[in-house]
Amino acid sequence: MSAAAQDELNVYQSAEARFEIAAKKLNLEDGLYRYLKYPSKEITVYIPIARDTGRLEVFVGYRVLHSTIRGPGKGGIRFAPDVSIDEVRALAAWMTWKCAVVNIPFGGAKGGVICDPTKLSKGEMERITRRYTAELSEWFGPERDVPAPDIGTNDQTMAWVMDTYAMHVRQATTAVVTGKPLDLGGSRGRKEATGRGLMICCDKAIEKLRMKREGTRVTIQGFGNVGSQAADLMHKTGYKIIGVADIHGGLYNEKGFDVPKLMDWVYGQRKPLPEFPQGGEKMSAQEVLFRPTDILVPAATENQITSQNAHRVECRILCEGANGPTTSHADAIVEKKGIFIIPDILGNAGGVTVSYFEWVQDRQGFFWRENEVNERLQDVMESSFDHVVHYAEAHGVNNRIAAYIVAIDRVARALQLRGIYA
Ligand code: NAD
């Protein structure tokens, strides 16, 4: 791979490129620019674990706290073989901007451990999680830094984080993590929240483009927590899901998928997605992005739409479920095609919004009904969408840069009010 191609795939550089454009448009003062560009803290932890065989292995983990200007750090913990400090840094910065776009009182953080969860037993996962948490027990805290699940981690992982933290501080502290099981202070509606937030944004976008839900074709890459929930909710409300993909491959079916059956195939029967009977045409997980559709939802991983392939995208709305699915080098190509963009820091913010509700409920010790959670989520997503799109139209910038500007402006204002402690 050439150096330029490698640069394009460096998510930290992608995040920085958008930040720079937005900061320039905002005429951000030089000192503030430098303050907001860099993370506040980064840590590397070496995690010694006894494998089930008895052999000792050392895993490498990171936590980056990008900003606590507007509130405690907030961000997931990712367990994946390709985790890197640059990726965690980019994801931490995105969390700062995402929380600010939806105006919830959190900063941004992210963590990760370089490991392959598919090759670890449940016991090994638990030991990695507990040791990682123990190493970071002074960083984490409901008022300091509040983790959540991300790729490779789930509600069980969060229960272990909560328990380990509780043992260290010697009191049950449910608000130290979000995305927990319902029985342990989790929030109703959290599991569906990111998918629901994506759907709410799509509803707003089609209304704007004078389209109807019925018959609007949707392609979703990624069939994990985000992708499968988005597919299920959108299918139920009349959208037609014509393309799906997961790590094993993609399927395209112009007639539309029976999503409940597909959910049962993948999650009930635990069969590979591309083998789904009545599945339509099989293709690679990436190829599905380039088939004609109305709404394209990349909800798998980073760097899927690049300068090399963006010209092949054929959709009216690009609604980003994953973090960083489009590289900054591809932005101009997508924009030139006149595609309506719902950028990741807005589109997938439903997850962190309901995480915020979970944190509030844990601290209140009082839990809300699912429809209360969903209604509040709808309010937050709709007003954030309106704010970003209105800003974009009023200032002649695209939705992505508008979202960054709205976010940076909010963080910069909070920083100016707090001042610099020195
Ligand atoms: P997940 O692990 O539950 O699911 C990931 C899905 O993507 C799986 O179906 C997997 O098979 C598929 N996948 C992985 N690599 C792929 C590839 N190269 N091509 C096609 N499919 C591939 O993860 P998730 O929680 O659904 O997260 C997906 C994305 O959404 C990530 O970028 C994550 O950071 C982002 N996100 C998640 C949440 C959340 O609440 N879970 C919130 C905001 C953003």
Side-chain angles (χ1 to χ4, degrees):
M1 197 189 289
S2 71
Q6 259 172 9
D7 273 359
E8 173 170 5
L9 300 185
N10 182 319
V11 277
Y12 186 62
Q13 291 189 16
S14 258
E16 217 173 38
R18 277 84 173 242
F19 171 72
E20 263 169 41
I21 297 171
K24 273 208 187 96
K25 296 237 183 239
L26 202 56
N27 273 326
L28 196 67
E29 186 221 308
D30 193 47
L32 277 182
Y33 170 82
R34 267 178 283 136
Y35 188 116
L36 298 178
K37 177 174 156 151
Y38 297 109
S40 142
K41 284 183 193 161
E42 300 179 352
I43 191 167
T44 303
V45 290
Y46 294 89
I47 308 164
I49 292 302
R51 297 295 297 258
D52 291 346
T53 56
R55 198 165 59 87
L56 190 72
E57 203 165 318
V58 180
F59 292 88
V60 179
Y62 306 105
R63 187 76 187 169
V64 174
L65 205 51
H66 176 260
S67 167
T68 52
I69 294 171
R70 284 169 42 90
K74 186 86 197 78
I77 302 173
R78 179 173 289 197
F79 281 8
D82 55 356
V83 162
S84 67
I85 185 69
D86 263 357
E87 180 189 56
V88 178
R89 244 182 228 141
L91 290 161
W94 275 327
M95 286 306 295
T96 301
W97 311 132
K98 192 183 299 184
C99 292
V101 168
V102 287
N103 210 0
I104 58 176
F106 283 129
K110 202 81 182 189
V113 176
I114 306 172
C115 65
D116 185 349
T118 62
K119 300 202 171 98
L120 295 166
S121 69
K122 193 172 175 192
E124 290 168 336
M125 287 281 284
E126 178 172 352
R127 294 196 284 284
I128 293 176
T129 306
R130 287 191 182 278
R131 185 67 184 237
Y132 174 79
T133 308
E135 292 291 351
L136 292 167
S137 62
E138 274 131 40
W139 283 48
F140 292 155
E143 301 290 350
R144 290 195 198 108
D145 180 3
V146 184
D150 193 71
I151 296 177
T153 56
N154 56 25
D155 56 348
Q156 174 62 73
T157 327
M158 296 306 109
W160 292 326
V161 172
M162 183 263 162
D163 182 67
T164 308
Y165 179 82
M167 290 297 117
H168 279 253
V169 299
R170 311 216 64 76
Q171 55 187 12
T173 314
T174 49
V176 68
V177 275
T178 60
K180 296 180 296 296
L182 266 184
D183 290 327
L184 200 68
S187 175
R188 293 194 171 79
R190 173 62 185 90
K191 197 168 117 227
E192 303 82 10
T194 311
R196 186 177 295 280
L198 287 168
M199 180 177 74
I200 296 167
C201 287
C202 290
D203 286 348
K204 294 285 291 179
I206 60 167
E207 187 189 322
K208 205 174 160 40
L209 301 180
R210 297 180 199 288
M211 294 156 67
K212 283 204 201 85
R213 275 174 172 175
E214 284 66 33
T216 289
R217 300 167 303 162
V218 182
T219 297
I220 302 180
Q221 186 205 40
F223 208 69
N225 178 31
V226 179
S228 69
Q229 294 297 333
D232 196 37
L233 289 165
M234 292 180 84
H235 173 79
K236 278 191 190 123
T237 53
Y239 289 95
K240 188 162 140 191
I241 315 300
I242 59 159
V244 287
D246 75 357
I247 188 101
H248 306 294
L251 289 173
Y252 185 77
N253 185 345
E254 273 175 350
K255 293 199 193 102
F257 288 98
D258 182 334
V259 177
K261 277 198 182 143
L262 179 61
M263 293 281 279
D264 178 60
W265 178 260
V266 175
Y267 288 104
Q269 305 181 44
R270 306 214 154 265
K271 302 249 176 76
L273 178 143
E275 306 303 325
F276 180 57
Q278 325 139 36
E281 193 187 339
K282 276 192 200 180
M283 59 195 64
S284 75
Q286 200 165 35
E287 200 52 37
V288 83
L289 297 170
F290 310 121
R291 290 303 170 102
T293 190
D294 297 311
I295 304 183
L296 182 60
V297 184
T301 185
E302 292 123 31
N303 296 334
Q304 295 303 295
I305 301 169
T306 68
S307 60
Q308 302 306 303
N309 63 31
H311 62 280
R312 296 184 56 212
V313 171
E314 280 185 64
C315 63
R316 293 184 69 186
I317 298 167
L318 172 64
C319 180
E320 295 181 336
N323 288 306
T326 311
T327 68
S328 60
H329 294 228
D331 280 348
I333 306 170
V334 176
E335 199 184 345
K336 227 187 201 160
K337 284 176 156 255
I339 294 171
F340 186 91
I341 299 165
I342 303 167
D344 47 8
I345 58 172
L346 170 66
N348 70 29
V352 76
T353 302
V354 176
S355 275
Y356 163 56
F357 298 160
E358 181 175 332
W359 179 80
V360 170
Q361 291 171 79
D362 287 338
R363 284 153 43 110
Q364 282 183 325
F366 180 73
F367 290 84
W368 310 346
R369 290 191 307 274
E370 186 168 346
N371 62 349
E372 285 179 272
V373 172
N374 291 346
E375 266 170 38
R376 289 189 163 119
L377 173 64
Q378 180 125 7
D379 279 352
V380 169
M381 294 306 298
E382 289 190 347
S383 58
S384 308
F385 180 98
D386 286 340
H387 194 79
V388 166
V389 171
H390 180 78
Y391 192 99
E393 287 171 355
H395 295 85
V397 292
N398 65 39
N399 291 342
R400 189 188 306 281
I401 295 305
Y404 273 84
I405 293 178
V406 166
I408 295 169
D409 192 35
R410 285 197 175 129
V411 179
R413 268 186 289 143
L415 176 59
Q416 275 164 334
L417 288 168
R418 285 180 67 156
I420 305 286
Y421 177 79

